[in-house]
Amino acid sequence: MDVTRRSMLKWSGAGVAAAGVVAVTPAGLAAADPAAALPAGPLTTPPPPSAQAQAAVKKARQLVSKMTLDEKIAYCHGIPATKGFTGHIPANDRLGIPALRLADGPSGVGNGSTGVTQWPDSKALAATWNPATATDYGKAYGAEQAAKGHNIALAPCINILRLPHWGRSFETYTEDPFLNGQLAAATIRGIQTNHVISTVKHFAANNQEILRNSIDVVVSARALQEIYYPGFRAAVQQGQVGAVMTSYNKVNGTWAHENRINVQDALRDAWGFDGMVMSDWGGTHSTVQTAKAGSDTEMPGGTYLGDALKAAVQNGSVSEAQLDTMVTQVLTAMIRVGLFDHPLPDPATVVDTVVSTPAHLTLARRIGVEGSVLLKNNGVLPLARPRSIAVIGNAADAGAQTHGGGSGSVNPNGTVVTPLAGIRARAGSIPVTYAQGTLGIAALPTVPAAAFGSGLKATYYTSTDLTGDPLGTETIAALNVTATPAAVAAQTDGWSARYTGTFNAAEAGGYRFSLSVGGVTTLSIDGKKVLTALPGREAVQNGLVTLTAGSHTLEVTYVSAAPAGGRAPRTSLVLGSQAGYDKLHQAAADAARAAEVAVVVLADLTSEGMDRSTLALPADQNELVAAVAKANPNTVVVLNTSGAVLMPWLGSVKGVIANWYAGQEQGNALAAMLFGDEEPGGRLPETFPASDQQGPAKTTVEFPGDGVQVYYDEGLAIGYRWYQHSGEKPLFPFGFGLSYTTFRLGNLRLSRTGGGLRAQATVTNTGRRAGSEVVQLYVAAPDAAQEPAQQLKAFGKVTLKPGQSTTVTLDVPRDELAVWLSPSTGWTVVPGNYSVGVGTSSADLPLRGRITVS
Ligand code: BGC
């Protein structure tokens, strides 16, 4: 492939370990040797194991020495799990070893469990910028896992948000490796206080869903070390995590679970990890190579690490010593986290037990508040005693979006407090009206056959671009195709189709069409493209058009293309429609006009298994806000989204709160903030771009890849690092968030401590109510370090009463100043002048200083 067209930044870093790919070496540095073992350096020397950890290893070895071969093999793979959990390794009663029961996920106990709390998602937790809150969460969440009899929690997910489009954005924390590591370690510490093993996932470079089971991530060694590894290193070294789940993808040509560079060299040898390494579900691809890579366990079954591993040990291709090491690692995690001494109930006996508690709901509400980010406030919030409130949006009521999809989804115990319910409960005697405003983001009703008159002509092609001689034609009644048409059933490597006919608009006005697709699909009406829907993206994609009443020509094209070496995806082509979507806007605008304040609640729906095709809010929600804001200048927008969205209406609304997917207490948390009982305490853990064109990875090979590989050409420049480099001005920068009060920062004092640095600054609450501020410290290394301009190295959250001042002390240990220049230098601190910026976001650092580090 043509690598020259890809933009390699100066800090892309050396050591892209993939055949045929140019390794870019920053000027003046030695050429990279991608396969080289990692040299020792400040961050690669594992800390000595504690006496307790050594004792755990010793006990684990003793147990392993008593095991038969079959008993050992049992620890290297799962067996089928039952309801409420998703991974299972049976007990060894002979040796008194408890069973392992593994359950998702990051924002509550998953896998269909009932009686549990649906917590705010990981993004909300990250937005608190408060490791103490993350520990509180971990303790409470871990207690629910324990009470359900699960001794391994498949959480937290800490993959770096390389791009805001990632479908699992809500499951993960942030774009910044330092914030990531601090939150990961804090959450893990909390979970493991329950003697439940925390599993940090997915190692490594799992940053997209498109082709997640096959994609090969081509990433420089430097970006791995500095961006994609640090959260996992912190999980191991600061969080003492018990288990690591590898990812589905390949990293530089090798599946993650058999990737020796990641697992043995980095995780185990460089960071000293002595616990369990399991695969993601179905993410094991080999026996011998996996065993030799430092990984232990295949989940959920034993295709490669069951009988095949036993045979490999018997024929000598995997040594028994290697097997002993694998099993020792699993048992070490169990012993170290205290599973032997704290037996849990059999999940079957507690499947119906309610383990959510009032205290947990209170904490869920607190995280919802502390993690909400006030993005705009032109004096509208907190609401004084308004005469009336109009609450608007499907997401405020029936379509409340309180959690994401996939393995991270959680069934709430009891009631989900919707935004409308929360506002109504808090409003008391203040009248609250509600207008749906939009049908929301689910699929629209399927267009009935009657709308197509005498049906649609389907023409099928063997090509994947609608060219060549048609394979056949047929007339179909409606576009509700969920099985591969017979004419192309044999085309396992791809096919295409064109559907033509008429669409009869029953009335004149605004029409919304929705498509749910398994192939690239276009919808055109009267020759004008209304929508292009992509597979692997939003489950429902929408287009808007204004039609006259009567008959219109309609054309739909569908292309089903197999990925390299794979089969054509599952066929799906479902067209839905809604006439008069704009009438709902009008009704919402009328409700807004009649009220003193309008609160519009908007949502997206993201999930494991999909990536967003655009950062635009789905369906007709932007148009809805525009209509409401025109009718009422006191409009507040609440965003229940997985992460960054575009806000074309920003200039016309008075307030915006990013409330993420805030779990079952969403409505109560929101009402408390709107009415000023609490202030939104969050700061952005991710940059909000101003347009879909901003940000790194704008070519197909960079995202979502060429079908086989995806190139992380931006190197270190993701998130705010990219924006500094490119000069693009995001909508809201990383670290940003307003308070209901105001703060002044001053009096920066810099000093050197233990080879690192210390910054102290005075923070004063200059407003009229108590509030919290997150003081952030960014460091720019000397030029020779070849680093992005400035990077987060410390932060501290303070809560102050009106008029109160305090000194914030931010320490940056020497290791945090280290950079990974190349395989030959490893981690090293470049001596020279470091510039330090302290402030309240990556783009607002009023306190500046310099300090020499030798
Ligand atoms: C997900 C993991 C999850 C596992 C078990 C996989 O599809 O990627 O995050 O823990 O399923 O449910």
Side-chain angles (χ1 to χ4, degrees), residues 704-735:
D706 61 11
V708 178
Q709 291 169 312
V710 58
Y711 290 84
Y712 286 23
D713 289 350
E714 73 285 351
L716 307 182
I718 59 142
Y720 64 88
R721 291 163 169 80
W722 167 268
Y723 286 85
Q724 291 172 1
H725 153 76
S726 67
E728 291 170 1
K729 195 172 170 331
L731 194 59
F732 295 107
F734 173 83

PDB file of all heavy atoms in Angstrom, residues 704-735:
ATOM      1  N   PRO A 704     -11.712   3.715   9.161  1.00  0.00           N
ATOM      2  CA  PRO A 704     -11.578   2.515   9.998  1.00  0.00           C
ATOM      3  C   PRO A 704     -10.564   1.506   9.487  1.00  0.00           C
ATOM      4  O   PRO A 704     -10.533   0.379   9.989  1.00  0.00           O
ATOM      5  CB  PRO A 704     -12.982   1.924   9.932  1.00  0.00           C
ATOM      6  CG  PRO A 704     -13.462   2.272   8.562  1.00  0.00           C
ATOM      7  CD  PRO A 704     -12.865   3.616   8.236  1.00  0.00           C
ATOM      8  N   GLY A 705      -9.719   1.900   8.531  1.00  0.00           N
ATOM      9  CA  GLY A 705      -8.735   0.973   8.002  1.00  0.00           C
ATOM     10  C   GLY A 705      -9.101   0.504   6.608  1.00  0.00           C
ATOM     11  O   GLY A 705     -10.177   0.806   6.081  1.00  0.00           O
ATOM     12  N   ASP A 706      -8.143  -0.223   6.032  1.00  0.00           N
ATOM     13  CA  ASP A 706      -8.336  -0.655   4.634  1.00  0.00           C
ATOM     14  C   ASP A 706      -9.023  -2.005   4.536  1.00  0.00           C
ATOM     15  O   ASP A 706      -9.010  -2.650   3.491  1.00  0.00           O
ATOM     16  CB  ASP A 706      -6.974  -0.675   3.908  1.00  0.00           C
ATOM     17  CG  ASP A 706      -5.992  -1.644   4.553  1.00  0.00           C
ATOM     18  OD1 ASP A 706      -6.412  -2.451   5.417  1.00  0.00           O
ATOM     19  OD2 ASP A 706      -4.801  -1.598   4.208  1.00  0.00           O
ATOM     20  N   GLY A 707      -9.608  -2.456   5.628  1.00  0.00           N
ATOM     21  CA  GLY A 707     -10.277  -3.754   5.626  1.00  0.00           C
ATOM     22  C   GLY A 707      -9.419  -4.816   6.283  1.00  0.00           C
ATOM     23  O   GLY A 707      -9.920  -5.832   6.751  1.00  0.00           O
ATOM     24  N   VAL A 708      -8.112  -4.567   6.313  1.00  0.00           N
ATOM     25  CA  VAL A 708      -7.185  -5.526   6.925  1.00  0.00           C
ATOM     26  C   VAL A 708      -6.418  -4.843   8.052  1.00  0.00           C
ATOM     27  O   VAL A 708      -6.309  -5.357   9.166  1.00  0.00           O
ATOM     28  CB  VAL A 708      -6.201  -6.076   5.871  1.00  0.00           C
ATOM     29  CG1 VAL A 708      -5.210  -7.041   6.517  1.00  0.00           C
ATOM     30  CG2 VAL A 708      -6.971  -6.769   4.754  1.00  0.00           C
ATOM     31  N   GLN A 709      -5.871  -3.688   7.733  1.00  0.00           N
ATOM     32  CA  GLN A 709      -5.068  -2.967   8.724  1.00  0.00           C
ATOM     33  C   GLN A 709      -5.640  -1.569   8.956  1.00  0.00           C
ATOM     34  O   GLN A 709      -6.295  -1.002   8.091  1.00  0.00           O
ATOM     35  CB  GLN A 709      -3.627  -2.828   8.225  1.00  0.00           C
ATOM     36  CG  GLN A 709      -2.909  -4.169   8.194  1.00  0.00           C
ATOM     37  CD  GLN A 709      -1.593  -4.092   7.476  1.00  0.00           C
ATOM     38  OE1 GLN A 709      -1.494  -3.545   6.376  1.00  0.00           O
ATOM     39  NE2 GLN A 709      -0.560  -4.629   8.099  1.00  0.00           N
ATOM     40  N   VAL A 710      -5.357  -1.030  10.121  1.00  0.00           N
ATOM     41  CA  VAL A 710      -5.671   0.365  10.385  1.00  0.00           C
ATOM     42  C   VAL A 710      -4.389   1.017  10.894  1.00  0.00           C
ATOM     43  O   VAL A 710      -3.680   0.449  11.728  1.00  0.00           O
ATOM     44  CB  VAL A 710      -6.846   0.516  11.377  1.00  0.00           C
ATOM     45  CG1 VAL A 710      -6.597  -0.172  12.710  1.00  0.00           C
ATOM     46  CG2 VAL A 710      -7.199   1.973  11.600  1.00  0.00           C
ATOM     47  N   TYR A 711      -4.083   2.158  10.342  1.00  0.00           N
ATOM     48  CA  TYR A 711      -2.795   2.804  10.597  1.00  0.00           C
ATOM     49  C   TYR A 711      -2.950   3.965  11.572  1.00  0.00           C
ATOM     50  O   TYR A 711      -3.648   4.927  11.275  1.00  0.00           O
ATOM     51  CB  TYR A 711      -2.197   3.310   9.280  1.00  0.00           C
ATOM     52  CG  TYR A 711      -1.755   2.178   8.383  1.00  0.00           C
ATOM     53  CD1 TYR A 711      -2.657   1.533   7.547  1.00  0.00           C
ATOM     54  CD2 TYR A 711      -0.441   1.736   8.416  1.00  0.00           C
ATOM     55  CE1 TYR A 711      -2.265   0.475   6.749  1.00  0.00           C
ATOM     56  CE2 TYR A 711      -0.032   0.674   7.614  1.00  0.00           C
ATOM     57  CZ  TYR A 711      -0.949   0.050   6.797  1.00  0.00           C
ATOM     58  OH  TYR A 711      -0.558  -1.000   6.013  1.00  0.00           O
ATOM     59  N   TYR A 712      -2.263   3.870  12.691  1.00  0.00           N
ATOM     60  CA  TYR A 712      -2.305   4.944  13.683  1.00  0.00           C
ATOM     61  C   TYR A 712      -1.224   5.974  13.350  1.00  0.00           C
ATOM     62  O   TYR A 712      -0.300   6.224  14.113  1.00  0.00           O
ATOM     63  CB  TYR A 712      -2.096   4.368  15.084  1.00  0.00           C
ATOM     64  CG  TYR A 712      -3.279   3.606  15.666  1.00  0.00           C
ATOM     65  CD1 TYR A 712      -4.259   3.043  14.857  1.00  0.00           C
ATOM     66  CD2 TYR A 712      -3.422   3.449  17.039  1.00  0.00           C
ATOM     67  CE1 TYR A 712      -5.329   2.352  15.390  1.00  0.00           C
ATOM     68  CE2 TYR A 712      -4.490   2.756  17.592  1.00  0.00           C
ATOM     69  CZ  TYR A 712      -5.443   2.203  16.755  1.00  0.00           C
ATOM     70  OH  TYR A 712      -6.504   1.508  17.294  1.00  0.00           O
ATOM     71  N   ASP A 713      -1.375   6.554  12.163  1.00  0.00           N
ATOM     72  CA  ASP A 713      -0.341   7.461  11.665  1.00  0.00           C
ATOM     73  C   ASP A 713      -0.166   8.703  12.507  1.00  0.00           C
ATOM     74  O   ASP A 713       0.866   9.364  12.448  1.00  0.00           O
ATOM     75  CB  ASP A 713      -0.687   7.905  10.240  1.00  0.00           C
ATOM     76  CG  ASP A 713      -0.526   6.789   9.246  1.00  0.00           C
ATOM     77  OD1 ASP A 713       0.029   5.741   9.624  1.00  0.00           O
ATOM     78  OD2 ASP A 713      -0.967   6.967   8.101  1.00  0.00           O
ATOM     79  N   GLU A 714      -1.194   9.049  13.261  1.00  0.00           N
ATOM     80  CA  GLU A 714      -1.095  10.264  14.057  1.00  0.00           C
ATOM     81  C   GLU A 714      -0.130  10.092  15.227  1.00  0.00           C
ATOM     82  O   GLU A 714       0.208  11.077  15.897  1.00  0.00           O
ATOM     83  CB  GLU A 714      -2.488  10.666  14.575  1.00  0.00           C
ATOM     84  CG  GLU A 714      -3.047   9.787  15.689  1.00  0.00           C
ATOM     85  CD  GLU A 714      -3.560   8.428  15.211  1.00  0.00           C
ATOM     86  OE1 GLU A 714      -3.641   8.240  13.993  1.00  0.00           O
ATOM     87  OE2 GLU A 714      -3.854   7.565  16.052  1.00  0.00           O
ATOM     88  N   GLY A 715       0.316   8.866  15.453  1.00  0.00           N
ATOM     89  CA  GLY A 715       1.291   8.648  16.520  1.00  0.00           C
ATOM     90  C   GLY A 715       0.757   9.065  17.872  1.00  0.00           C
ATOM     91  O   GLY A 715      -0.254   8.552  18.340  1.00  0.00           O
ATOM     92  N   LEU A 716       1.424  10.019  18.479  1.00  0.00           N
ATOM     93  CA  LEU A 716       1.019  10.473  19.813  1.00  0.00           C
ATOM     94  C   LEU A 716      -0.099  11.497  19.755  1.00  0.00           C
ATOM     95  O   LEU A 716      -0.659  11.860  20.796  1.00  0.00           O
ATOM     96  CB  LEU A 716       2.215  11.104  20.541  1.00  0.00           C
ATOM     97  CG  LEU A 716       3.491  10.270  20.631  1.00  0.00           C
ATOM     98  CD1 LEU A 716       4.571  11.010  21.425  1.00  0.00           C
ATOM     99  CD2 LEU A 716       3.216   8.918  21.277  1.00  0.00           C
ATOM    100  N   ALA A 717      -0.396  11.979  18.557  1.00  0.00           N
ATOM    101  CA  ALA A 717      -1.283  13.145  18.451  1.00  0.00           C
ATOM    102  C   ALA A 717      -2.748  12.765  18.386  1.00  0.00           C
ATOM    103  O   ALA A 717      -3.419  12.924  17.363  1.00  0.00           O
ATOM    104  CB  ALA A 717      -0.900  13.987  17.238  1.00  0.00           C
ATOM    105  N   ILE A 718      -3.264  12.255  19.496  1.00  0.00           N
ATOM    106  CA  ILE A 718      -4.712  12.060  19.571  1.00  0.00           C
ATOM    107  C   ILE A 718      -5.276  13.044  20.584  1.00  0.00           C
ATOM    108  O   ILE A 718      -4.554  13.609  21.406  1.00  0.00           O
ATOM    109  CB  ILE A 718      -5.080  10.613  19.961  1.00  0.00           C
ATOM    110  CG1 ILE A 718      -4.459  10.271  21.316  1.00  0.00           C
ATOM    111  CG2 ILE A 718      -4.676   9.623  18.908  1.00  0.00           C
ATOM    112  CD1 ILE A 718      -5.373   9.444  22.142  1.00  0.00           C
ATOM    113  N   GLY A 719      -6.589  13.225  20.534  1.00  0.00           N
ATOM    114  CA  GLY A 719      -7.241  14.114  21.499  1.00  0.00           C
ATOM    115  C   GLY A 719      -6.642  15.507  21.456  1.00  0.00           C
ATOM    116  O   GLY A 719      -6.339  16.033  20.382  1.00  0.00           O
ATOM    117  N   TYR A 720      -6.462  16.087  22.652  1.00  0.00           N
ATOM    118  CA  TYR A 720      -5.992  17.478  22.665  1.00  0.00           C
ATOM    119  C   TYR A 720      -4.581  17.605  22.099  1.00  0.00           C
ATOM    120  O   TYR A 720      -4.191  18.669  21.624  1.00  0.00           O
ATOM    121  CB  TYR A 720      -6.079  18.082  24.071  1.00  0.00           C
ATOM    122  CG  TYR A 720      -5.195  17.434  25.109  1.00  0.00           C
ATOM    123  CD1 TYR A 720      -3.884  17.855  25.308  1.00  0.00           C
ATOM    124  CD2 TYR A 720      -5.670  16.406  25.908  1.00  0.00           C
ATOM    125  CE1 TYR A 720      -3.081  17.276  26.275  1.00  0.00           C
ATOM    126  CE2 TYR A 720      -4.878  15.807  26.872  1.00  0.00           C
ATOM    127  CZ  TYR A 720      -3.568  16.237  27.045  1.00  0.00           C
ATOM    128  OH  TYR A 720      -2.773  15.654  27.994  1.00  0.00           O
ATOM    129  N   ARG A 721      -3.824  16.519  22.124  1.00  0.00           N
ATOM    130  CA  ARG A 721      -2.479  16.575  21.524  1.00  0.00           C
ATOM    131  C   ARG A 721      -2.602  16.878  20.024  1.00  0.00           C
ATOM    132  O   ARG A 721      -1.789  17.596  19.463  1.00  0.00           O
ATOM    133  CB  ARG A 721      -1.758  15.238  21.742  1.00  0.00           C
ATOM    134  CG  ARG A 721      -1.400  14.982  23.201  1.00  0.00           C
ATOM    135  CD  ARG A 721      -1.086  13.504  23.422  1.00  0.00           C
ATOM    136  NE  ARG A 721      -0.489  13.235  24.709  1.00  0.00           N
ATOM    137  CZ  ARG A 721      -1.155  13.127  25.848  1.00  0.00           C
ATOM    138  NH1 ARG A 721      -2.457  13.284  25.867  1.00  0.00           N
ATOM    139  NH2 ARG A 721      -0.520  12.872  26.979  1.00  0.00           N
ATOM    140  N   TRP A 722      -3.621  16.300  19.387  1.00  0.00           N
ATOM    141  CA  TRP A 722      -3.842  16.588  17.964  1.00  0.00           C
ATOM    142  C   TRP A 722      -4.203  18.053  17.761  1.00  0.00           C
ATOM    143  O   TRP A 722      -3.709  18.712  16.850  1.00  0.00           O
ATOM    144  CB  TRP A 722      -4.950  15.706  17.398  1.00  0.00           C
ATOM    145  CG  TRP A 722      -5.395  16.199  16.047  1.00  0.00           C
ATOM    146  CD1 TRP A 722      -6.406  17.064  15.784  1.00  0.00           C
ATOM    147  CD2 TRP A 722      -4.777  15.913  14.797  1.00  0.00           C
ATOM    148  NE1 TRP A 722      -6.493  17.330  14.445  1.00  0.00           N
ATOM    149  CE2 TRP A 722      -5.487  16.635  13.816  1.00  0.00           C
ATOM    150  CE3 TRP A 722      -3.699  15.114  14.409  1.00  0.00           C
ATOM    151  CZ2 TRP A 722      -5.150  16.568  12.464  1.00  0.00           C
ATOM    152  CZ3 TRP A 722      -3.367  15.054  13.068  1.00  0.00           C
ATOM    153  CH2 TRP A 722      -4.083  15.778  12.115  1.00  0.00           C
ATOM    154  N   TYR A 723      -5.093  18.549  18.579  1.00  0.00           N
ATOM    155  CA  TYR A 723      -5.584  19.926  18.382  1.00  0.00           C
ATOM    156  C   TYR A 723      -4.458  20.935  18.573  1.00  0.00           C
ATOM    157  O   TYR A 723      -4.383  21.940  17.861  1.00  0.00           O
ATOM    158  CB  TYR A 723      -6.800  20.193  19.283  1.00  0.00           C
ATOM    159  CG  TYR A 723      -8.016  19.478  18.752  1.00  0.00           C
ATOM    160  CD1 TYR A 723      -8.256  18.150  19.070  1.00  0.00           C
ATOM    161  CD2 TYR A 723      -8.877  20.103  17.859  1.00  0.00           C
ATOM    162  CE1 TYR A 723      -9.344  17.463  18.532  1.00  0.00           C
ATOM    163  CE2 TYR A 723      -9.965  19.431  17.310  1.00  0.00           C
ATOM    164  CZ  TYR A 723     -10.192  18.111  17.657  1.00  0.00           C
ATOM    165  OH  TYR A 723     -11.248  17.449  17.100  1.00  0.00           O
ATOM    166  N   GLN A 724      -3.559  20.656  19.511  1.00  0.00           N
ATOM    167  CA  GLN A 724      -2.410  21.551  19.679  1.00  0.00           C
ATOM    168  C   GLN A 724      -1.537  21.543  18.431  1.00  0.00           C
ATOM    169  O   GLN A 724      -1.054  22.566  17.971  1.00  0.00           O
ATOM    170  CB  GLN A 724      -1.543  21.077  20.853  1.00  0.00           C
ATOM    171  CG  GLN A 724      -2.191  21.235  22.200  1.00  0.00           C
ATOM    172  CD  GLN A 724      -1.358  20.562  23.280  1.00  0.00           C
ATOM    173  OE1 GLN A 724      -0.296  20.006  23.014  1.00  0.00           O
ATOM    174  NE2 GLN A 724      -1.841  20.632  24.495  1.00  0.00           N
ATOM    175  N   HIS A 725      -1.370  20.347  17.892  1.00  0.00           N
ATOM    176  CA  HIS A 725      -0.497  20.197  16.724  1.00  0.00           C
ATOM    177  C   HIS A 725      -1.097  20.852  15.487  1.00  0.00           C
ATOM    178  O   HIS A 725      -0.433  21.557  14.744  1.00  0.00           O
ATOM    179  CB  HIS A 725      -0.251  18.712  16.469  1.00  0.00           C
ATOM    180  CG  HIS A 725       0.046  18.380  15.052  1.00  0.00           C
ATOM    181  ND1 HIS A 725       1.272  18.638  14.496  1.00  0.00           N
ATOM    182  CD2 HIS A 725      -0.734  17.863  14.064  1.00  0.00           C
ATOM    183  CE1 HIS A 725       1.242  18.277  13.218  1.00  0.00           C
ATOM    184  NE2 HIS A 725       0.039  17.810  12.944  1.00  0.00           N
ATOM    185  N   SER A 726      -2.399  20.615  15.280  1.00  0.00           N
ATOM    186  CA  SER A 726      -3.020  21.044  14.025  1.00  0.00           C
ATOM    187  C   SER A 726      -3.454  22.502  14.062  1.00  0.00           C
ATOM    188  O   SER A 726      -3.656  23.120  13.031  1.00  0.00           O
ATOM    189  CB  SER A 726      -4.250  20.176  13.738  1.00  0.00           C
ATOM    190  OG  SER A 726      -5.245  20.433  14.720  1.00  0.00           O
ATOM    191  N   GLY A 727      -3.630  23.028  15.274  1.00  0.00           N
ATOM    192  CA  GLY A 727      -4.155  24.391  15.383  1.00  0.00           C
ATOM    193  C   GLY A 727      -5.657  24.448  15.228  1.00  0.00           C
ATOM    194  O   GLY A 727      -6.264  25.528  15.290  1.00  0.00           O
ATOM    195  N   GLU A 728      -6.302  23.308  15.007  1.00  0.00           N
ATOM    196  CA  GLU A 728      -7.767  23.310  14.901  1.00  0.00           C
ATOM    197  C   GLU A 728      -8.357  23.736  16.241  1.00  0.00           C
ATOM    198  O   GLU A 728      -7.854  23.370  17.301  1.00  0.00           O
ATOM    199  CB  GLU A 728      -8.268  21.900  14.553  1.00  0.00           C
ATOM    200  CG  GLU A 728      -7.921  21.452  13.156  1.00  0.00           C
ATOM    201  CD  GLU A 728      -8.200  19.974  12.911  1.00  0.00           C
ATOM    202  OE1 GLU A 728      -8.683  19.294  13.832  1.00  0.00           O
ATOM    203  OE2 GLU A 728      -7.901  19.512  11.806  1.00  0.00           O
ATOM    204  N   LYS A 729      -9.451  24.496  16.162  1.00  0.00           N
ATOM    205  CA  LYS A 729     -10.079  24.962  17.401  1.00  0.00           C
ATOM    206  C   LYS A 729     -11.318  24.115  17.662  1.00  0.00           C
ATOM    207  O   LYS A 729     -12.301  24.189  16.933  1.00  0.00           O
ATOM    208  CB  LYS A 729     -10.468  26.436  17.242  1.00  0.00           C
ATOM    209  CG  LYS A 729     -10.784  27.087  18.567  1.00  0.00           C
ATOM    210  CD  LYS A 729     -10.978  28.587  18.410  1.00  0.00           C
ATOM    211  CE  LYS A 729     -11.526  29.249  19.653  1.00  0.00           C
ATOM    212  NZ  LYS A 729     -12.365  28.479  20.521  1.00  0.00           N
ATOM    213  N   PRO A 730     -11.238  23.277  18.691  1.00  0.00           N
ATOM    214  CA  PRO A 730     -12.406  22.416  18.943  1.00  0.00           C
ATOM    215  C   PRO A 730     -13.574  23.220  19.477  1.00  0.00           C
ATOM    216  O   PRO A 730     -13.423  24.382  19.864  1.00  0.00           O
ATOM    217  CB  PRO A 730     -11.890  21.436  19.988  1.00  0.00           C
ATOM    218  CG  PRO A 730     -10.834  22.183  20.726  1.00  0.00           C
ATOM    219  CD  PRO A 730     -10.200  23.110  19.719  1.00  0.00           C
ATOM    220  N   LEU A 731     -14.722  22.564  19.555  1.00  0.00           N
ATOM    221  CA  LEU A 731     -15.898  23.228  20.123  1.00  0.00           C
ATOM    222  C   LEU A 731     -15.677  23.447  21.621  1.00  0.00           C
ATOM    223  O   LEU A 731     -15.894  24.544  22.143  1.00  0.00           O
ATOM    224  CB  LEU A 731     -17.121  22.335  19.894  1.00  0.00           C
ATOM    225  CG  LEU A 731     -18.488  22.944  20.091  1.00  0.00           C
ATOM    226  CD1 LEU A 731     -18.682  24.127  19.157  1.00  0.00           C
ATOM    227  CD2 LEU A 731     -19.567  21.893  19.824  1.00  0.00           C
ATOM    228  N   PHE A 732     -15.244  22.386  22.303  1.00  0.00           N
ATOM    229  CA  PHE A 732     -14.900  22.467  23.717  1.00  0.00           C
ATOM    230  C   PHE A 732     -13.630  21.657  23.951  1.00  0.00           C
ATOM    231  O   PHE A 732     -13.563  20.497  23.553  1.00  0.00           O
ATOM    232  CB  PHE A 732     -16.028  21.906  24.602  1.00  0.00           C
ATOM    233  CG  PHE A 732     -17.291  22.707  24.538  1.00  0.00           C
ATOM    234  CD1 PHE A 732     -18.396  22.217  23.860  1.00  0.00           C
ATOM    235  CD2 PHE A 732     -17.367  23.961  25.146  1.00  0.00           C
ATOM    236  CE1 PHE A 732     -19.564  22.962  23.786  1.00  0.00           C
ATOM    237  CE2 PHE A 732     -18.538  24.710  25.071  1.00  0.00           C
ATOM    238  CZ  PHE A 732     -19.637  24.208  24.393  1.00  0.00           C
ATOM    239  N   PRO A 733     -12.642  22.262  24.600  1.00  0.00           N
ATOM    240  CA  PRO A 733     -11.374  21.551  24.757  1.00  0.00           C
ATOM    241  C   PRO A 733     -11.398  20.529  25.897  1.00  0.00           C
ATOM    242  O   PRO A 733     -12.204  20.629  26.824  1.00  0.00           O
ATOM    243  CB  PRO A 733     -10.386  22.683  25.077  1.00  0.00           C
ATOM    244  CG  PRO A 733     -11.219  23.746  25.714  1.00  0.00           C
ATOM    245  CD  PRO A 733     -12.593  23.641  25.093  1.00  0.00           C
ATOM    246  N   PHE A 734     -10.496  19.596  25.819  1.00  0.00           N
ATOM    247  CA  PHE A 734     -10.281  18.620  26.894  1.00  0.00           C
ATOM    248  C   PHE A 734     -10.060  19.360  28.215  1.00  0.00           C
ATOM    249  O   PHE A 734      -9.333  20.347  28.273  1.00  0.00           O
ATOM    250  CB  PHE A 734      -9.035  17.799  26.538  1.00  0.00           C
ATOM    251  CG  PHE A 734      -8.585  16.873  27.621  1.00  0.00           C
ATOM    252  CD1 PHE A 734      -9.169  15.634  27.780  1.00  0.00           C
ATOM    253  CD2 PHE A 734      -7.544  17.236  28.475  1.00  0.00           C
ATOM    254  CE1 PHE A 734      -8.748  14.761  28.781  1.00  0.00           C
ATOM    255  CE2 PHE A 734      -7.116  16.379  29.475  1.00  0.00           C
ATOM    256  CZ  PHE A 734      -7.716  15.145  29.636  1.00  0.00           C
ATOM    257  N   GLY A 735     -10.702  18.887  29.246  1.00  0.00           N
ATOM    258  CA  GLY A 735     -10.510  19.477  30.580  1.00  0.00           C
ATOM    259  C   GLY A 735     -11.485  20.578  30.909  1.00  0.00           C
ATOM    260  O   GLY A 735     -11.566  21.034  32.049  1.00  0.00           O
TER     261      GLY A 735
END
